[in-house]
Amino acid sequence: MDVKIEEGWKNVLFNEFSKPYFQQAVTFVKTEKAQGKTIYPPGSLIFNAFNTTPFDTIKVVLLGQDPYHGYGQAHGLSFSVPDGVSPPPSLINIFKELHNDIGMAIPKTGDLTYWARQGVLLLNSVLTVRANEAASHAKIGWMEFTNAVISKISEGKEGVVFLLWGKFAQEKQVLVDETKHLVLKAAHPSPFSAHNGFFGCKHFSKTNNYLTKQGLTPIDWRISK
């Protein structure tokens, strides 16, 4: 299967594209579209995280669950929304923690593409969703694919920071070799759980301290606009 994805990722994930689970996921999405169902994000953005953050550039993995299911919100980057779309509550809480941690001004846009271009892989565990139906594509095969992605990053790179927020993301910890990577865990930034340990986690400064010790350029967490 010829998947339109950044060349470095294509080389790393080549074997996954021919596996039954991946073909099943792609067929499922195409079938739902043919039935007239609205799927997010748009087809051209399903692999946006990979195309914006090539494998060779990864410094940080920020793991989300599945795409936003409201109109115009999802664009293939976890927690991010396109410029002009109001930041959802979890993203607002991320910005609050950034402000408290490093003093960053609260941005007016929720588009995190600038992070992705610096090496922050904004990866959702599930890559598509049916409009207005959260987790509607959670069991079609995407999870196997993104588990393979996490494993490939763990095996093929060193000194990556994995940000695991909430129970769902933390279940992926077993896929990461912690002898050569840093795993940072906290509560999910959702309004329902952010006060249980997300606020005050200081993951952004901790990430940059670790990257600096690796001799890498830290992430500029500021967002334009």
Side-chain angles (χ1 to χ4, degrees):
M1 182 178 292
D2 183 29
V3 179
K4 291 182 173 59
I5 195 169
E6 187 269 332
E7 205 61 34
W9 280 112
K10 184 173 282 191
N11 293 334
V12 169
L13 298 170
F14 181 78
N15 290 334
E16 301 301 317
F17 299 142
S18 60
K19 291 182 178 178
Y21 79 80
F22 187 86
Q23 298 182 358
Q24 170 191 313
V26 171
T27 299
F28 188 96
V29 171
K30 287 181 176 178
T31 300
E32 290 217 325
K33 285 184 177 180
Q35 293 170 348
K37 294 173 181 172
T38 300
I39 307 299
Y40 298 135
S44 62
L45 295 177
I46 290 174
F47 297 106
N48 192 21
F50 303 90
N51 293 329
T52 310
T53 310
F55 184 81
D56 289 346
T57 71
I58 297 171
K59 297 178 181 178
V60 181
V61 177
L62 175 50
L63 194 66
Q65 193 158 349
D66 68 334
Y68 296 122
H69 54 82
Y71 174 76
Q73 292 181 308
H75 66 148
L77 305 177
S78 63
F79 293 103
S80 179
V81 291
D83 195 20
V85 175
S86 297
S90 292
L91 184 53
I92 289 172
N93 284 340
I94 290 171
F95 290 158
K96 287 179 180 177
E97 175 58 21
L98 268 162
H99 175 72
N100 293 333
D101 184 7
I102 64 172
M104 187 191 85
I106 303 294
K108 295 177 181 177
T109 178
D111 187 346
L112 307 181
T113 301
Y114 182 53
W115 294 1
R117 288 177 178 153
Q118 295 178 74
V120 182
L121 181 66
L122 299 168
L123 179 68
N124 278 318
S125 289
V126 178
L127 299 186
T128 57
V129 68
R130 200 179 302 130
N132 305 314
E133 294 183 49
S136 49
H137 287 182
K139 297 180 179 178
I140 70 171
W142 287 135
M143 209 99 69
E144 291 178 69
F145 177 65
T146 53
N147 282 350
V149 169
I150 295 167
S151 295
K152 297 283 188 185
I153 294 169
S154 179
E155 294 164 9
K157 299 187 71 70
E158 291 188 12
V160 174
V161 181
F162 289 82
L163 300 178
L164 306 182
W165 297 339
K167 183 173 180 293
F168 177 86
Q170 289 164 17
E171 290 174 352
K172 310 296 183 181
Q173 185 174 1
V174 296
L175 302 172
V176 180
D177 182 351
E178 294 184 65
T179 66
K180 59 176 185 171
H181 302 289
L182 176 65
V183 172
L184 295 175
K185 298 186 292 182
H188 194 277
S190 159
F192 299 107
S193 56
H195 290 281
N196 295 327
F198 178 75
F199 289 136
C201 70
K202 298 189 181 300
H203 278 187
F204 304 100
S205 58
K206 289 177 180 177
T207 293
N208 279 350
N209 288 340
Y210 180 79
L211 293 176
T212 300
K213 288 177 182 175
Q214 304 296 312
L216 298 171
T217 304
I219 305 300
D220 179 359
W221 297 109
R222 294 173 300 172
I223 299 172
S224 60
K225 298 185 183 179

